[in-house]
Amino acid sequence: MPHRKSPPQIITLLSDFGLRDSFVAEMKGRLLSLCPDAVLVDISHEIEPGDIAAGAFVLGHAYRAFPPGTIHVAVVDPGVGGKRKPLILSAQRHYFIGPDNGLFTQPASGGPSYRAFEILPCGQSPAPTFHGRDLFAPAAAALACGRAPSRLGRRLEKIKLLEHWRPVPLARDRGWQGRIVVCDRFGNLLTNLPGNLLAAMSKPVLRVGRCVIGRWVRTYCEAAPGHLCALVNSQGLIEIFLREDSARNKTRWPKDTTVELLPTFHK
Amino acid sequence: MPHRKSPPQIITLLSDFGLRDSFVAEMKGRLLSLCPDAVLVDISHEIEPGDIAAGAFVLGHAYRAFPPGTIHVAVVDPGVGGKRKPLILSAQRHYFIGPDNGLFTQPASGGPSYRAFEILPCGQSPAPTFHGRDLFAPAAAALACGRAPSRLGRRLEKIKLLEHWRPVPLARDRGWQGRIVVCDRFGNLLTNLPGNLLAAMSKPVLRVGRCVIGRWVRTYCEAAPGHLCALVNSQGLIEIFLREDSARNKTRWPKDTTVELLPTFHK
Amino acid sequence: MPHRKSPPQIITLLSDFGLRDSFVAEMKGRLLSLCPDAVLVDISHEIEPGDIAAGAFVLGHAYRAFPPGTIHVAVVDPGVGGKRKPLILSAQRHYFIGPDNGLFTQPASGGPSYRAFEILPCGQSPAPTFHGRDLFAPAAAALACGRAPSRLGRRLEKIKLLEHWRPVPLARDRGWQGRIVVCDRFGNLLTNLPGNLLAAMSKPVLRVGRCVIGRWVRTYCEAAPGHLCALVNSQGLIEIFLREDSARNKTRWPKDTTVELLPTFHK
């Protein structure tokens, strides 16, 4: 009788640990000790220390590329050892494991609903400063080996969600107020404004302070060098860029700068 | 009857995406969704943004260490979404997938010949700004699952090759003109001058501007500290270095600086 | 009769090669060419060039998280091609492969005893500047495929150990003298003082120059912002930190700064 091999269980890792110290390797060693056949994939370990919003953004986009059933361990955890709860979240047909501090806002907000569990430690007590290795990795390995989330912790009704991560409508249907959420490696400025807002607007512009950006293109190489342009990026978000240059260095707009999406201004 | 397991299919990745954003993880998620048993290996994601020549250099040396049949996905692609063609290249018994912009100059130039195909998208149309995830990763996964390159695109007679990546002979057999192509992490200055040029020369020296380097050693620790020395490195290329120090910081010679390999100058 | 699949052989990699050049990928290609089923895990490639003590520290903590039988290839090797010996070490139920320059001080010092072998090259002679690819990777692959260390080299009675990596007792039972061995990504200052020294002391303090630190906590978020505090970290070592800030930037204490662990000073 043919034996259908099931695909290997993928566990992704995201953290603010960087790649110089031993933290990430300690988590991977623990995972592979407990679940030798897991396939480990790094999402990013270069999240700025303690920047939960940036971690939530990167994870919120990366997880969608993975197959359903993937386990995502995310550790941006300035409150480790404190009152924030250790979490298993089942949402969007993926699993998420990490601190309950807003890191999982995107999958938890995507509807229709999620199921969450507070991880209860079993076995030896975890080091109070490294739940990634001693609490989250063992929970991920247990899930990967087929254990049900409900057997690893106790049901939580609600988890913490980040505020203000979605754009808000401006008064009198005059557009939307968003902000710059991430500057990527190329110096492109990513906003939290979804590209599908454009469909309902004629001749939309972006306003950042006194600067108005009205050149929309499909792809970077359609833009004229030296002029700020906008496009809808591969994640479906509106992005401000400078062709073959860094929009960030040119504008110096920091993260969280307000960006308004407006219909063309008529005097 | 014994069942001989075939070795897992290796897919390598090289890009200028860095490791902070979600780009690399999105490619890996797509690859593992389509080909769960592939073994993914990073070559480098720290190529300077848009530096095709640096990407070609790193890939051109790294691929040779992998077994024949390996699939190499390389994305340094400032022209993404523009006129440059998406490419599958079969050369040197390896596969290469990425933009047709010169990235694959080394394997394509290594003879005897290559076969190239322009990837034709199938299924949903790719995001115009992220062919790595939406075009190259699916093509690599299809190859890894056993599909023939000819079924993924249409034959191309020629691909784009970088110019000037090989040294040129100087007049009257007086030596060779090359250049510094890469500065590595240790501050060593790698030239494009192959070490086998030395065999035909007696007492060769390197000239960079007014500086003449005539100390040749076999290995770094044979050099005297504080003096620029040269050796043939592990890739078979002539390299200028400073023992336990950075030749780059000391000389400030930028990439593309001309380096001449000359027989010893006689007055 | 059921066939119990043995777990895949893990090979970890640590180096000072960085992730921009092709060095790490060349090692991985060689490993997978020779041992296609090995599972490769990076510990760190961001060790400062030539910093053997830092490599030894990171490796010494990371390896313990992996299962017994794991093969650890570590290459921080300023003396490559020189007199230092290429090494296979069997210690603590793990294997270690790399240069005999002190990198393996921690597992070799952990008792009860180790077995060491000098690797003898077989096949084509290795590039004198890249033993990682041409000597250590093939040895690791051979081990991973089941070859005994004694068949890969000749027995060594002693290996090189780093000096001064353990704290020393102060005169008249007045405490211990250690030092700052690593500054991690968060700016925390890790000492080589084991936390279990605290058990025998009443009201211990840390003295660094004129600064005395007497606030001990269990976890980072118990500390008051703005004040240097100490805790026993997840590796069991005493660590000086500043809550949600960088102790390194505030104090400017460099690596190797002396840290004394003292009973509270009585006038």
Side-chain angles (χ1 to χ4, degrees):
Chain A
M1 209 146 91
H3 177 72
R4 178 75 181 82
K5 191 167 73 83
S6 61
Q9 176 64 55
I10 301 170
I11 302 176
T12 79
L13 295 100
L14 174 139
S15 77
D16 59 354
F17 293 158
L19 292 170
R20 203 187 48 177
D21 304 311
S22 62
F23 305 124
V24 173
E26 291 180 68
M27 286 183 66
K28 291 182 177 177
R30 188 63 62 94
L31 284 165
L32 291 173
S33 295
L34 297 169
C35 185
D37 292 312
V39 170
L40 307 184
V41 181
D42 294 310
I43 290 184
S44 174
H45 299 289
E46 302 294 344
I47 305 299
E48 284 299 305
D51 190 343
I52 297 167
F57 184 87
V58 170
L59 178 64
H61 291 285
Y63 87 86
R64 303 163 200 223
F66 288 85
T70 298
I71 298 167
H72 305 276
V73 182
V75 192
V76 181
D77 195 9
V80 62
K83 280 178 291 182
R84 64 96 190 99
K85 295 190 174 78
L87 191 70
I88 297 177
L89 175 73
S90 167
Q92 310 295 327
R93 302 167 67 205
H94 290 247
Y95 292 106
F96 301 87
I97 297 180
D100 183 19
N101 61 12
L103 259 183
F104 306 125
T105 296
Q106 286 204 33
S109 303
S113 67
Y114 60 77
R115 298 207 323 151
F117 301 86
E118 177 183 359
I119 301 171
L120 301 176
C122 65
Q124 60 183 134
S125 69
T129 56
F130 197 2
H131 284 184
R133 181 189 67 188
D134 292 352
L135 208 51
F136 302 136
L143 266 192
C145 291
R147 200 119 165 230
S150 58
R151 294 196 49 208
L152 296 165
R154 116 182 101 211
R155 189 71 191 269
L156 281 180
E157 284 312 305
K158 284 177 72 165
I159 69 166
K160 186 163 163 48
L161 301 179
L162 296 178
E163 292 174 1
H164 312 307
W165 70 281
R166 279 184 167 145
V168 292
L170 295 170
R172 285 174 290 144
D173 278 338
R174 291 290 293 160
W176 295 82
Q177 180 184 306
R179 59 197 174 80
I180 294 171
V181 281
V182 155
C183 167
D184 75 14
R185 182 177 204 227
F186 302 92
N188 303 323
L189 302 166
L190 281 63
T191 75
N192 63 343
L193 293 156
N196 56 22
L197 296 178
L198 296 172
M201 302 179 82
S202 78
K203 299 191 180 172
V205 296
L206 296 173
R207 189 165 70 188
V208 186
R210 288 181 184 178
C211 176
V212 175
I213 298 163
R215 292 179 187 85
W216 296 86
V217 292
R218 250 180 84 258
T219 183
Y220 302 111
C221 59
E222 291 172 11
H227 293 91
L228 288 175
C229 290
L231 53 63
V232 179
N233 72 12
S234 62
Q235 301 172 335
L237 295 176
I238 292 172
E239 180 177 316
I240 298 167
F241 74 99
L242 200 56
R243 182 174 171 180
E244 289 171 31
D245 203 342
S246 166
R248 170 58 182 277
N249 289 352
K250 170 124 172 188
T251 64
R252 307 250 162 222
W253 295 333
K255 225 162 64 167
D256 285 328
T257 297
T258 296
V259 179
E260 289 175 325
L261 176 66
L262 305 170
T264 299
F265 181 69
H266 302 283
K267 290 194 191 175
Chain B
M1 211 146 87
H3 177 72
R4 178 75 179 82
K5 190 166 74 80
S6 60
Q9 176 64 56
I10 301 171
I11 301 175
T12 79
L13 295 101
L14 174 141
S15 76
D16 60 354
F17 293 158
L19 291 170
R20 202 187 50 179
D21 304 311
S22 61
F23 305 124
V24 173
E26 291 180 67
M27 286 183 66
K28 291 183 177 177
R30 189 64 61 94
L31 283 165
L32 292 172
S33 295
L34 297 170
C35 186
D37 292 312
V39 170
L40 307 184
V41 181
D42 293 310
I43 289 183
S44 174
H45 299 290
E46 302 294 345
I47 306 299
E48 283 299 303
D51 191 342
I52 297 167
F57 183 87
V58 171
L59 178 63
H61 290 285
Y63 88 85
R64 303 162 199 224
F66 288 86
T70 297
I71 298 166
H72 305 277
V73 182
V75 192
V76 181
D77 196 8
V80 61
K83 280 179 290 182
R84 66 96 190 97
K85 294 189 173 79
L87 191 69
I88 297 178
L89 174 73
S90 167
Q92 310 296 327
R93 302 168 67 204
H94 289 247
Y95 293 106
F96 300 88
I97 298 180
D100 182 18
N101 62 11
L103 257 184
F104 307 124
T105 296
Q106 287 203 34
S109 304
S113 67
Y114 59 78
R115 298 208 322 150
F117 301 86
E118 177 183 358
I119 301 171
L120 300 176
C122 66
Q124 60 184 132
S125 68
T129 56
F130 197 2
H131 284 185
R133 181 189 68 189
D134 292 353
L135 208 52
F136 301 136
L143 267 192
C145 292
R147 201 120 164 228
S150 58
R151 292 195 52 204
L152 296 166
R154 119 182 97 212
R155 189 71 190 271
L156 280 180
E157 283 313 305
K158 286 176 71 166
I159 70 166
K160 187 164 163 44
L161 301 180
L162 295 179
E163 293 174 0
H164 312 306
W165 72 280
R166 279 184 168 145
V168 292
L170 294 171
R172 286 174 289 146
D173 279 338
R174 292 290 293 161
W176 295 83
Q177 180 184 305
R179 57 197 174 79
I180 294 171
V181 282
V182 153
C183 167
D184 76 12
R185 180 176 207 228
F186 301 93
N188 303 324
L189 301 167
L190 281 63
T191 73
N192 62 343
L193 292 158
N196 56 22
L197 296 178
L198 296 172
M201 302 179 82
S202 78
K203 297 191 180 172
V205 297
L206 296 173
R207 188 167 70 189
V208 186
R210 290 181 184 175
C211 177
V212 174
I213 300 164
R215 292 178 188 87
W216 295 87
V217 291
R218 250 181 83 257
T219 183
Y220 302 112
C221 58
E222 290 172 13
H227 294 92
L228 287 176
C229 289
L231 53 63
V232 179
N233 72 12
S234 62
Q235 301 171 338
L237 295 176
I238 292 173
E239 180 176 315
I240 299 166
F241 74 98
L242 200 56
R243 183 174 171 180
E244 291 173 28
D245 203 341
S246 166
R248 170 59 182 276
N249 288 352
K250 170 126 172 187
T251 64
R252 305 251 163 225
W253 295 331
K255 224 162 64 169
D256 285 327
T257 297
T258 296
V259 179
E260 288 175 326
L261 176 65
L262 303 171
T264 298
F265 180 69
H266 300 284
K267 290 194 192 173
Chain C
M1 209 145 91
H3 178 72
R4 179 74 180 81
K5 191 167 74 77
S6 61
Q9 176 63 56
I10 300 171
I11 302 175
T12 80
L13 295 100
L14 175 139
S15 76
D16 59 354
F17 293 159
L19 292 170
R20 202 190 46 177
D21 303 311
S22 60
F23 306 123
V24 174
E26 291 180 67
M27 288 184 64
K28 292 182 176 177
R30 189 64 62 93
L31 285 164
L32 291 172
S33 294
L34 297 170
C35 187
D37 292 312
V39 170
L40 307 183
V41 182
D42 294 309
I43 290 183
S44 174
H45 299 288
E46 303 292 345
I47 305 300
E48 283 299 305
D51 190 342
I52 297 167
F57 183 87
V58 171
L59 178 64
H61 291 285
Y63 88 85
R64 304 163 199 224
F66 288 86
T70 297
I71 298 167
H72 305 276
V73 182
V75 193
V76 180
D77 195 8
V80 62
K83 281 179 292 182
R84 64 96 190 96
K85 295 191 175 77
L87 191 70
I88 298 177
L89 175 74
S90 166
Q92 310 296 327
R93 301 167 70 203
H94 290 247
Y95 293 107
F96 300 87
I97 298 181
D100 182 19
N101 61 11
L103 258 183
F104 307 125
T105 295
Q106 287 204 33
S109 304
S113 67
Y114 60 77
R115 297 208 323 151
F117 300 86
E118 177 184 357
I119 302 171
L120 300 175
C122 65
Q124 60 183 134
S125 69
T129 56
F130 197 2
H131 284 186
R133 181 191 66 188
D134 292 353
L135 208 52
F136 302 136
L143 267 192
C145 292
R147 202 120 164 228
S150 59
R151 293 195 50 205
L152 296 166
R154 117 182 99 211
R155 189 71 190 270
L156 281 179
E157 284 312 304
K158 284 178 71 167
I159 69 167
K160 188 166 164 44
L161 301 180
L162 296 177
E163 292 175 359
H164 311 307
W165 71 279
R166 280 184 165 145
V168 292
L170 295 170
R172 284 176 289 145
D173 278 341
R174 290 291 292 161
W176 295 82
Q177 181 185 306
R179 57 194 174 82
I180 294 173
V181 282
V182 154
C183 167
D184 75 12
R185 183 181 205 222
F186 302 93
N188 303 325
L189 301 167
L190 280 64
T191 74
N192 62 344
L193 294 157
N196 56 22
L197 297 178
L198 296 172
M201 303 179 80
S202 80
K203 297 193 182 172
V205 297
L206 297 173
R207 188 168 68 187
V208 187
R210 291 184 182 172
C211 177
V212 174
I213 300 164
R215 292 179 187 87
W216 295 86
V217 293
R218 251 181 81 260
T219 184
Y220 303 110
C221 59
E222 288 172 13
H227 295 91
L228 287 175
C229 289
L231 52 65
V232 179
N233 71 13
S234 61
Q235 301 171 337
L237 295 175
I238 292 174
E239 180 177 316
I240 300 167
F241 74 98
L242 200 56
R243 181 175 172 178
E244 290 173 29
D245 203 342
S246 165
R248 169 62 181 273
N249 289 352
K250 170 126 173 186
T251 63
R252 306 250 162 223
W253 295 332
K255 227 162 62 167
D256 285 326
T257 296
T258 296
V259 179
E260 289 176 326
L261 176 65
L262 305 169
T264 298
F265 181 71
H266 301 282
K267 291 194 191 174

